[in-house]
Amino acid sequence: MPESLSKTTEKAAARTEAPRVAAASLVGTTIEYYDFAVYGTASALVLGPAFFPSGNPTVSSLAAFLTFAAAFLSRPLGVVLFGTIGDRLGRRQALVASLLLMGVATVGVGLLPTYETAGLLAPVLLVTLRLLQGLSMGGEWGGAVLLAAEHAPPGRRALYASVPQAGPSLGFLLSSAVILPTLHIAGRDGFADWAWRIPFLLSTVLVVIGLWVRTTVSESPVFRDAAHRTAQAPAPAAESRFPLVTLLKRYPGRLLLGTGAAIGGSAVYYLTIVYSLSYGPKELGIPQNTMLTAASIGAAAGIALTLPVARLSDRIGRRPVMMTGAVGCVLWAVPMYASLSSRDAWLITGAYTVGLMLLALMFSPVAAFLPELFPARLRYSGASAAFILANTLGGGFAPLVATWLNSRWDSPLVLGFYTGALCLLSLLCLLALPETRDHEFGT
Protein backbone atom coordinates (compact mmCIF):
# COMPACT_ATOMS: atom_id res chain seq x y z
CA MET A 1 0.00 0.00 0.00
CA PRO A 2 1.45 3.46 -0.90
CA GLU A 3 2.60 5.50 2.10
CA SER A 4 0.18 8.39 1.37
CA LEU A 5 -2.77 5.98 1.15
CA SER A 6 -1.65 4.28 4.36
CA LYS A 7 -1.57 7.60 6.20
CA THR A 8 -4.99 8.53 4.86
CA THR A 9 -6.37 5.22 6.09
CA GLU A 10 -4.77 5.73 9.52
CA LYS A 11 -6.25 9.23 9.83
CA ALA A 12 -9.71 7.98 8.87
CA ALA A 13 -9.43 5.23 11.47
CA ALA A 14 -8.32 7.79 14.05
CA ARG A 15 -11.36 9.97 13.36
CA THR A 16 -13.61 6.94 13.82
CA GLU A 17 -11.90 6.06 17.08
CA ALA A 18 -11.85 9.65 18.40
CA PRO A 19 -15.08 9.42 20.46
CA ARG A 20 -13.94 6.16 22.09
CA VAL A 21 -10.52 7.64 22.90
CA ALA A 22 -12.13 10.73 24.41
CA ALA A 23 -14.38 8.52 26.54
CA ALA A 24 -11.38 6.46 27.67
CA SER A 25 -9.54 9.64 28.62
CA LEU A 26 -12.56 10.82 30.58
CA VAL A 27 -12.89 7.54 32.48
CA GLY A 28 -9.27 7.58 33.57
CA THR A 29 -9.26 11.27 34.50
CA THR A 30 -12.48 10.88 36.48
CA ILE A 31 -10.95 8.04 38.49
CA GLU A 32 -7.73 10.00 39.11
CA TYR A 33 -9.68 13.02 40.34
CA TYR A 34 -12.08 10.84 42.34
CA ASP A 35 -9.06 9.62 44.27
CA PHE A 36 -7.82 13.16 44.73
CA ALA A 37 -11.26 14.50 45.69
CA VAL A 38 -11.78 11.72 48.23
CA TYR A 39 -8.60 12.77 49.98
CA GLY A 40 -9.49 16.46 49.76
CA THR A 41 -12.92 15.88 51.30
CA ALA A 42 -11.58 13.48 53.91
CA SER A 43 -8.85 15.96 54.88
CA ALA A 44 -11.54 18.58 55.41
CA LEU A 45 -13.63 16.20 57.55
CA VAL A 46 -11.53 13.73 59.53
CA LEU A 47 -7.89 13.27 58.51
CA GLY A 48 -6.56 16.13 60.61
CA PRO A 49 -7.54 14.62 63.98
CA ALA A 50 -6.86 11.04 62.82
CA PHE A 51 -3.28 11.62 61.64
CA PHE A 52 -2.30 14.99 63.15
CA PRO A 53 -3.95 15.16 66.60
CA SER A 54 -3.72 18.53 68.28
CA GLY A 55 -5.60 20.48 70.91
CA ASN A 56 -5.98 23.27 68.36
CA PRO A 57 -8.45 22.46 65.51
CA THR A 58 -6.80 25.06 63.25
CA VAL A 59 -3.41 23.37 63.65
CA SER A 60 -4.92 19.97 62.78
CA SER A 61 -6.62 21.43 59.71
CA LEU A 62 -3.43 23.16 58.59
CA ALA A 63 -1.49 19.89 58.94
CA ALA A 64 -4.09 17.99 56.90
CA PHE A 65 -4.14 20.65 54.19
CA LEU A 66 -0.33 20.76 54.20
CA THR A 67 -0.40 17.04 53.41
CA PHE A 68 -2.93 17.84 50.68
CA ALA A 69 -0.47 20.42 49.31
CA ALA A 70 2.41 17.92 49.52
CA ALA A 71 0.91 15.99 46.61
CA PHE A 72 1.17 19.14 44.51
CA LEU A 73 4.87 19.45 45.32
CA SER A 74 5.54 16.06 43.72
CA ARG A 75 3.48 16.87 40.62
CA PRO A 76 6.42 18.58 38.85
CA LEU A 77 8.40 15.34 39.27
CA GLY A 78 5.45 13.57 37.68
CA VAL A 79 5.65 15.99 34.77
CA VAL A 80 9.32 15.10 34.26
CA LEU A 81 8.72 11.35 34.58
CA PHE A 82 5.49 10.93 32.62
CA GLY A 83 6.26 13.80 30.26
CA THR A 84 9.45 11.98 29.23
CA ILE A 85 7.55 8.71 28.81
CA GLY A 86 4.71 10.40 26.94
CA ASP A 87 6.90 12.43 24.57
CA ARG A 88 9.43 9.65 23.91
CA LEU A 89 7.55 6.35 24.28
CA GLY A 90 3.89 7.24 23.79
CA ARG A 91 0.91 8.95 25.37
CA ARG A 92 -0.96 5.73 26.15
CA GLN A 93 1.91 4.08 28.04
CA ALA A 94 2.29 7.12 30.27
CA LEU A 95 -1.45 7.19 30.99
CA VAL A 96 -1.65 3.54 31.97
CA ALA A 97 1.33 3.91 34.32
CA SER A 98 -0.05 7.06 35.97
CA LEU A 99 -3.45 5.48 36.63
CA LEU A 100 -1.89 2.35 38.14
CA LEU A 101 0.29 4.44 40.46
CA MET A 102 -2.68 6.52 41.61
CA GLY A 103 -4.72 3.40 42.36
CA VAL A 104 -1.98 1.82 44.48
CA ALA A 105 -1.45 5.05 46.46
CA THR A 106 -5.16 5.68 47.08
CA VAL A 107 -5.93 2.15 48.27
CA GLY A 108 -2.85 2.43 50.47
CA VAL A 109 -4.32 5.49 52.22
CA GLY A 110 -7.46 3.48 52.97
CA LEU A 111 -5.37 0.79 54.66
CA LEU A 112 -3.19 3.09 56.80
CA PRO A 113 -3.14 2.90 60.60
CA THR A 114 -3.99 6.18 62.36
CA TYR A 115 -1.76 8.16 64.74
CA GLU A 116 -3.43 6.51 67.72
CA THR A 117 -2.32 3.09 66.43
CA ALA A 118 1.05 3.74 64.82
CA GLY A 119 2.24 7.06 66.22
CA LEU A 120 4.49 9.19 64.00
CA LEU A 121 4.71 6.41 61.42
CA ALA A 122 1.09 7.07 60.43
CA PRO A 123 1.54 10.68 59.17
CA VAL A 124 4.87 9.73 57.55
CA LEU A 125 3.17 6.98 55.54
CA LEU A 126 0.27 9.29 54.69
CA VAL A 127 2.61 11.96 53.33
CA THR A 128 4.53 9.32 51.33
CA LEU A 129 1.35 8.04 49.68
CA ARG A 130 0.23 11.61 49.00
CA LEU A 131 3.53 12.25 47.24
CA LEU A 132 2.91 9.19 45.05
CA GLN A 133 -0.59 10.48 44.25
CA GLY A 134 0.92 13.79 43.23
CA LEU A 135 3.50 12.05 41.07
CA SER A 136 0.67 10.29 39.26
CA MET A 137 -1.34 13.49 38.78
CA GLY A 138 1.72 15.11 37.21
CA GLY A 139 1.31 12.82 34.23
CA GLU A 140 -2.45 12.37 34.07
CA TRP A 141 -3.90 15.61 32.74
CA GLY A 142 -1.47 16.18 29.88
CA GLY A 143 -1.75 12.64 28.59
CA ALA A 144 -5.54 12.50 28.82
CA VAL A 145 -6.21 15.71 26.92
CA LEU A 146 -3.47 14.98 24.38
CA LEU A 147 -4.72 11.51 23.54
CA ALA A 148 -8.20 12.96 22.94
CA ALA A 149 -7.00 16.06 21.07
CA GLU A 150 -4.55 14.20 18.84
CA HIS A 151 -7.28 11.79 17.73
CA ALA A 152 -9.76 14.62 17.08
CA PRO A 153 -11.08 15.40 13.59
CA PRO A 154 -10.23 18.83 12.10
CA GLY A 155 -12.06 21.77 13.61
CA ARG A 156 -13.12 19.87 16.74
CA ARG A 157 -9.91 19.69 18.72
CA ALA A 158 -11.20 21.65 21.72
CA LEU A 159 -14.43 19.66 21.76
CA TYR A 160 -12.64 16.32 22.08
CA ALA A 161 -9.89 17.64 24.36
CA SER A 162 -12.52 19.07 26.70
CA VAL A 163 -14.13 15.68 27.34
CA PRO A 164 -11.53 14.65 29.95
CA GLN A 165 -11.87 18.17 31.40
CA ALA A 166 -15.15 17.02 32.90
CA GLY A 167 -13.11 14.47 34.88
CA PRO A 168 -12.24 16.71 37.87
CA SER A 169 -15.88 17.67 38.47
CA LEU A 170 -17.14 14.14 37.77
CA GLY A 171 -14.52 12.78 40.14
CA PHE A 172 -15.73 15.17 42.83
CA LEU A 173 -19.37 14.22 42.21
CA LEU A 174 -18.48 10.54 42.34
CA SER A 175 -16.61 11.04 45.60
CA SER A 176 -19.60 12.94 47.03
CA ALA A 177 -21.93 10.15 45.88
CA VAL A 178 -19.86 7.75 47.98
CA ILE A 179 -19.07 9.99 50.96
CA LEU A 180 -22.57 11.41 51.58
CA PRO A 181 -24.32 8.00 51.96
CA THR A 182 -21.39 6.71 54.00
CA LEU A 183 -21.69 9.71 56.32
CA HIS A 184 -25.45 9.17 56.58
CA ILE A 185 -25.22 5.45 57.33
CA ALA A 186 -22.19 5.46 59.64
CA GLY A 187 -22.89 8.82 61.28
CA ARG A 188 -20.29 11.48 61.95
CA ASP A 189 -18.59 9.48 64.69
CA GLY A 190 -18.58 6.25 62.69
CA PHE A 191 -17.20 8.04 59.64
CA ALA A 192 -14.39 9.59 61.69
CA ASP A 193 -13.65 6.24 63.35
CA TRP A 194 -13.57 3.78 60.43
CA ALA A 195 -15.97 4.52 57.55
CA TRP A 196 -13.70 7.19 56.00
CA ARG A 197 -11.67 4.27 54.61
CA ILE A 198 -14.52 3.02 52.38
CA PRO A 199 -14.21 5.65 49.60
CA PHE A 200 -10.46 4.99 49.37
CA LEU A 201 -10.84 1.22 49.17
CA LEU A 202 -13.57 1.45 46.53
CA SER A 203 -10.94 2.97 44.27
CA THR A 204 -9.72 -0.58 43.57
CA VAL A 205 -12.78 -1.35 41.45
CA LEU A 206 -12.58 1.95 39.60
CA VAL A 207 -8.89 1.58 38.77
CA VAL A 208 -9.38 -1.91 37.34
CA ILE A 209 -12.12 -0.55 35.07
CA GLY A 210 -9.96 2.42 34.07
CA LEU A 211 -6.93 0.27 33.23
CA TRP A 212 -9.05 -2.02 31.08
CA VAL A 213 -10.50 0.94 29.16
CA ARG A 214 -7.16 2.65 28.60
CA THR A 215 -5.37 -0.46 27.34
CA THR A 216 -7.99 -0.94 24.60
CA VAL A 217 -7.38 2.36 22.76
CA SER A 218 -4.74 3.05 20.15
CA GLU A 219 -1.74 5.35 20.37
CA SER A 220 -2.07 8.94 19.15
CA PRO A 221 -1.58 9.26 15.36
CA VAL A 222 0.14 12.63 15.89
CA PHE A 223 2.66 10.99 18.22
CA ARG A 224 3.27 8.18 15.74
CA ASP A 225 3.92 10.69 12.95
CA ALA A 226 6.24 12.75 15.17
CA ALA A 227 8.13 9.62 16.25
CA HIS A 228 8.48 8.57 12.60
CA ARG A 229 9.92 11.97 11.63
CA THR A 230 12.30 11.90 14.58
CA ALA A 231 13.52 8.44 13.57
CA GLN A 232 14.24 9.71 10.06
CA ALA A 233 15.82 12.96 11.21
CA PRO A 234 17.01 12.56 14.80
CA ALA A 235 17.10 15.58 17.07
CA PRO A 236 20.41 17.46 17.34
CA ALA A 237 22.91 16.03 19.78
CA ALA A 238 22.67 19.18 21.87
CA GLU A 239 18.98 18.55 22.55
CA SER A 240 18.35 17.01 25.94
CA ARG A 241 16.96 13.51 26.34
CA PHE A 242 14.47 15.04 28.75
CA PRO A 243 11.80 16.99 26.85
CA LEU A 244 11.18 19.30 29.83
CA VAL A 245 14.80 20.54 29.72
CA THR A 246 14.44 21.37 26.02
CA LEU A 247 11.13 23.04 26.78
CA LEU A 248 12.68 25.28 29.43
CA LYS A 249 15.44 26.33 27.03
CA ARG A 250 13.26 27.04 24.00
CA TYR A 251 9.83 28.03 25.30
CA PRO A 252 10.23 29.54 28.78
CA GLY A 253 7.93 32.48 28.01
CA ARG A 254 5.08 30.33 26.76
CA LEU A 255 5.43 27.98 29.70
CA LEU A 256 5.27 30.87 32.16
CA LEU A 257 2.32 32.59 30.46
CA GLY A 258 0.49 29.29 29.98
CA THR A 259 0.85 28.62 33.70
CA GLY A 260 -0.52 32.06 34.49
CA ALA A 261 -3.45 31.57 32.10
CA ALA A 262 -4.59 28.49 34.05
CA ILE A 263 -3.82 29.63 37.60
CA GLY A 264 -7.09 31.47 38.26
CA GLY A 265 -9.26 28.52 37.29
CA SER A 266 -7.25 26.26 39.60
CA ALA A 267 -7.86 28.62 42.52
CA VAL A 268 -11.62 28.75 41.88
CA TYR A 269 -11.86 24.97 41.66
CA TYR A 270 -9.83 24.05 44.74
CA LEU A 271 -11.17 26.79 47.04
CA THR A 272 -14.73 25.83 46.12
CA ILE A 273 -14.40 22.06 45.98
CA VAL A 274 -11.85 21.53 48.78
CA TYR A 275 -11.30 24.44 51.17
CA SER A 276 -14.84 25.73 51.57
CA LEU A 277 -16.06 22.23 52.53
CA SER A 278 -13.99 22.62 55.68
CA TYR A 279 -14.25 26.37 56.17
CA GLY A 280 -18.04 26.58 55.92
CA PRO A 281 -18.89 24.03 58.64
CA LYS A 282 -15.98 24.74 61.01
CA GLU A 283 -15.83 28.53 60.89
CA LEU A 284 -19.36 29.55 59.90
CA GLY A 285 -21.47 26.69 61.24
CA ILE A 286 -22.90 25.79 57.84
CA PRO A 287 -24.13 22.14 57.78
CA GLN A 288 -21.69 19.80 56.00
CA ASN A 289 -24.43 18.47 53.72
CA THR A 290 -25.26 22.02 52.63
CA MET A 291 -21.68 22.66 51.52
CA LEU A 292 -21.34 19.30 49.76
CA THR A 293 -24.68 19.76 47.99
CA ALA A 294 -23.88 23.32 46.88
CA ALA A 295 -20.49 22.29 45.51
CA SER A 296 -21.99 19.21 43.81
CA ILE A 297 -24.78 21.15 42.07
CA GLY A 298 -22.28 23.78 40.94
CA ALA A 299 -19.92 21.10 39.64
CA ALA A 300 -22.78 19.46 37.72
CA ALA A 301 -23.65 22.81 36.11
CA GLY A 302 -20.01 23.23 35.10
CA ILE A 303 -19.97 19.78 33.54
CA ALA A 304 -23.11 20.59 31.53
CA LEU A 305 -21.32 23.61 30.02
CA THR A 306 -18.02 21.87 29.26
CA LEU A 307 -18.76 20.55 25.76
CA PRO A 308 -20.83 23.55 24.51
CA VAL A 309 -18.10 25.94 25.68
CA ALA A 310 -15.40 23.87 23.99
CA ARG A 311 -17.39 23.77 20.74
CA LEU A 312 -17.74 27.55 20.92
CA SER A 313 -13.96 27.90 21.28
CA ASP A 314 -13.53 25.74 18.16
CA ARG A 315 -15.63 28.30 16.30
CA ILE A 316 -14.50 31.67 17.64
CA GLY A 317 -11.16 30.90 19.29
CA ARG A 318 -9.78 29.88 22.68
CA ARG A 319 -8.81 33.31 24.01
CA PRO A 320 -12.18 35.11 23.70
CA VAL A 321 -13.97 32.36 25.61
CA MET A 322 -11.31 32.01 28.30
CA MET A 323 -10.99 35.77 28.78
CA THR A 324 -14.76 36.06 29.21
CA GLY A 325 -14.56 33.43 31.94
CA ALA A 326 -11.61 35.19 33.60
CA VAL A 327 -13.43 38.53 33.67
CA GLY A 328 -16.55 36.83 35.04
CA CYS A 329 -14.57 35.11 37.81
CA VAL A 330 -12.82 38.37 38.75
CA LEU A 331 -16.19 40.07 39.16
CA TRP A 332 -18.03 37.14 40.79
CA ALA A 333 -15.36 35.87 43.21
CA VAL A 334 -16.24 38.23 46.06
CA PRO A 335 -20.06 37.79 45.79
CA MET A 336 -19.64 34.01 45.52
CA TYR A 337 -17.72 33.61 48.78
CA ALA A 338 -19.68 36.42 50.47
CA SER A 339 -22.74 34.16 50.12
CA LEU A 340 -21.24 31.94 52.83
CA SER A 341 -21.92 34.67 55.40
CA SER A 342 -25.65 34.25 54.80
CA ARG A 343 -25.52 30.56 55.79
CA ASP A 344 -28.49 30.18 53.44
CA ALA A 345 -28.38 26.91 51.49
CA TRP A 346 -30.20 28.27 48.43
CA LEU A 347 -28.08 31.41 48.20
CA ILE A 348 -24.82 29.49 48.59
CA THR A 349 -25.88 26.91 46.00
CA GLY A 350 -26.84 29.63 43.52
CA ALA A 351 -23.60 31.54 44.05
CA TYR A 352 -21.47 28.40 43.67
CA THR A 353 -23.39 27.35 40.56
CA VAL A 354 -22.74 30.67 38.83
CA GLY A 355 -19.10 30.59 39.88
CA LEU A 356 -18.47 27.07 38.59
CA MET A 357 -20.27 27.86 35.33
CA LEU A 358 -17.93 30.83 34.85
CA LEU A 359 -15.05 28.49 35.66
CA ALA A 360 -16.15 26.24 32.77
CA LEU A 361 -15.47 29.14 30.38
CA MET A 362 -11.85 29.21 31.56
CA PHE A 363 -11.38 25.51 32.19
CA SER A 364 -12.92 23.87 29.11
CA PRO A 365 -10.86 25.49 26.29
CA VAL A 366 -7.58 25.27 28.23
CA ALA A 367 -7.41 21.56 27.35
CA ALA A 368 -6.77 22.51 23.72
CA PHE A 369 -5.12 25.88 24.36
CA LEU A 370 -2.14 24.69 26.42
CA PRO A 371 -1.16 21.77 24.12
CA GLU A 372 -1.43 24.07 21.09
CA LEU A 373 1.25 26.33 22.56
CA PHE A 374 3.94 23.67 22.08
CA PRO A 375 5.28 21.43 19.24
CA ALA A 376 4.31 17.75 19.13
CA ARG A 377 7.64 16.38 20.39
CA LEU A 378 7.42 18.56 23.53
CA ARG A 379 3.64 18.75 23.89
CA TYR A 380 3.09 16.23 26.68
CA SER A 381 5.77 17.89 28.83
CA GLY A 382 4.76 21.45 27.89
CA ALA A 383 1.01 21.16 28.46
CA SER A 384 1.49 19.10 31.62
CA ALA A 385 4.06 21.48 33.07
CA ALA A 386 1.92 24.57 32.49
CA PHE A 387 -1.24 22.99 33.90
CA ILE A 388 0.46 21.30 36.85
CA LEU A 389 2.36 24.43 37.86
CA ALA A 390 -0.91 26.36 37.72
CA ASN A 391 -2.59 23.67 39.83
CA THR A 392 0.26 23.70 42.34
CA LEU A 393 0.54 27.47 42.72
CA GLY A 394 -3.13 28.33 42.30
CA GLY A 395 -4.75 25.19 43.70
CA GLY A 396 -2.45 23.13 45.86
CA PHE A 397 -1.46 25.97 48.15
CA ALA A 398 -4.85 27.71 47.99
CA PRO A 399 -6.27 25.95 51.10
CA LEU A 400 -3.11 26.81 53.04
CA VAL A 401 -3.15 30.45 51.94
CA ALA A 402 -6.88 30.69 52.62
CA THR A 403 -6.48 29.19 56.12
CA TRP A 404 -3.74 31.73 56.89
CA LEU A 405 -5.77 34.63 55.48
CA ASN A 406 -8.80 33.68 57.56
CA SER A 407 -6.67 33.42 60.68
CA ARG A 408 -5.84 37.11 60.20
CA TRP A 409 -9.08 38.42 58.72
CA ASP A 410 -12.04 36.37 59.83
CA SER A 411 -14.25 36.92 56.78
CA PRO A 412 -15.10 34.87 53.66
CA LEU A 413 -14.56 38.07 51.66
CA VAL A 414 -10.80 37.47 51.76
CA LEU A 415 -11.37 34.28 49.75
CA GLY A 416 -13.05 36.35 47.06
CA PHE A 417 -10.27 38.95 46.91
CA TYR A 418 -7.59 36.24 46.79
CA THR A 419 -9.39 34.28 44.06
CA GLY A 420 -10.21 37.41 42.08
CA ALA A 421 -6.56 38.49 42.09
CA LEU A 422 -5.44 35.15 40.63
CA CYS A 423 -8.17 35.28 37.97
CA LEU A 424 -6.99 38.78 37.05
CA LEU A 425 -3.49 37.36 36.62
CA SER A 426 -4.92 34.72 34.25
CA LEU A 427 -6.65 37.43 32.23
CA LEU A 428 -3.39 39.38 31.82
CA CYS A 429 -1.52 36.24 30.72
CA LEU A 430 -4.24 35.41 28.18
CA LEU A 431 -3.90 38.92 26.73
CA ALA A 432 -0.16 38.30 26.25
CA LEU A 433 -0.58 34.91 24.51
CA PRO A 434 -1.53 34.31 20.86
CA GLU A 435 -4.69 32.66 19.59
CA THR A 436 -3.98 28.96 18.89
CA ARG A 437 -7.17 27.64 17.27
CA ASP A 438 -5.64 27.42 13.78
CA HIS A 439 -2.30 26.06 14.97
CA GLU A 440 -0.95 23.15 12.90
CA PHE A 441 -1.25 20.41 15.49
CA GLY A 442 0.73 17.71 13.73
CA THR A 443 4.01 19.57 14.06
Side-chain angles (χ1 to χ4, degrees), residues 29-45 68 106 133 166-184 191 195-203 206 269-270 272-274 277 288-289 291-293 295-297 299 303:
T29 306
T30 299
I31 294 169
E32 291 259 10
Y33 275 91
Y34 164 84
D35 293 343
F36 227 68
V38 163
Y39 183 89
T41 304
S43 67
L45 296 177
F68 179 80
T106 303
Q133 281 188 321
S169 293
L170 280 175
F172 169 72
L173 290 176
L174 187 59
S175 72
S176 296
V178 173
I179 288 173
L180 282 173
T182 306
L183 263 171
H184 178 72
F191 189 84
W196 63 268
R197 300 178 184 275
I198 293 174
F200 290 96
L201 298 178
L202 283 178
S203 180
L206 298 175
Y269 179 83
Y270 282 101
T272 304
I273 298 299
V274 176
L277 298 185
Q288 190 71 61
N289 284 354
M291 294 304 305
L292 280 170
T293 301
S296 297
I297 291 174
I303 291 171

Side-chain angles (χ1 to χ4, degrees), residues 151-417:
H151 276 87
R156 298 197 170 191
R157 192 181 305 141
L159 177 65
Y160 281 85
S162 73
V163 172
Q165 282 295 79
S169 293
L170 280 175
F172 169 72
L173 290 176
L174 187 59
S175 72
S176 296
V178 173
I179 288 173
L180 282 173
T182 306
L183 263 171
H184 178 72
I185 294 171
R188 183 80 186 206
D189 291 340
F191 189 84
D193 185 36
W194 60 272
W196 63 268
R197 300 178 184 275
I198 293 174
F200 290 96
L201 298 178
L202 283 178
S203 180
T204 305
V205 178
L206 298 175
V207 169
V208 169
I209 294 172
L211 287 172
W212 174 76
V213 170
R214 283 196 166 171
T215 54
T216 62
V217 299
S218 65
E219 182 56 82
S220 155
V222 174
F223 171 79
R224 288 200 302 265
D225 288 346
H228 179 69
R229 287 194 300 271
T230 301
Q232 291 183 326
E239 189 166 291
S240 173
R241 296 181 61 188
F242 296 98
L244 187 61
V245 174
T246 303
L247 181 79
L248 292 171
K249 289 180 179 178
R250 298 190 178 183
Y251 302 96
R254 287 204 169 188
L255 178 59
L256 186 62
L257 290 172
T259 299
I263 200 169
S266 295
V268 174
Y269 179 83
Y270 282 101
L271 284 177
T272 304
I273 298 299
V274 176
Y275 178 74
S276 67
L277 298 185
S278 171
Y279 174 75
K282 290 183 179 179
E283 303 298 328
L284 301 175
I286 303 171
Q288 190 71 61
N289 284 354
T290 296
M291 294 304 305
L292 280 170
T293 301
S296 297
I297 291 174
I303 291 171
L305 277 185
T306 297
L307 295 185
V309 166
R311 191 70 186 107
L312 180 63
S313 78
D314 276 329
R315 291 173 178 164
I316 68 173
R318 321 301 187 211
R319 290 171 73 248
V321 178
M322 293 177 67
M323 286 191 291
T324 300
V327 170
C329 286
V330 169
L331 298 175
W332 188 248
V334 171
M336 178 170 67
Y337 292 113
S339 70
L340 296 175
S341 296
S342 72
R343 298 175 177 79
D344 182 88
W346 290 103
L347 187 59
I348 295 170
T349 300
Y352 272 37
T353 299
V354 172
L356 291 173
M357 290 172 72
L358 289 170
L359 172 62
L361 296 177
M362 298 177 65
F363 198 60
S364 180
V366 81
F369 183 66
L370 292 182
E372 288 166 349
L373 292 173
F374 306 101
R377 73 182 187 282
L378 303 173
R379 189 169 291 146
Y380 200 124
S381 297
S384 295
F387 188 79
I388 293 306
L389 283 173
N391 259 233
T392 301
L393 299 175
F397 290 102
L400 284 174
V401 174
T403 301
W404 178 79
L405 287 173
N406 275 299
S407 70
R408 296 178 63 87
W409 298 281
D410 187 17
S411 169
L413 292 179
V414 298
L415 303 180
F417 289 121

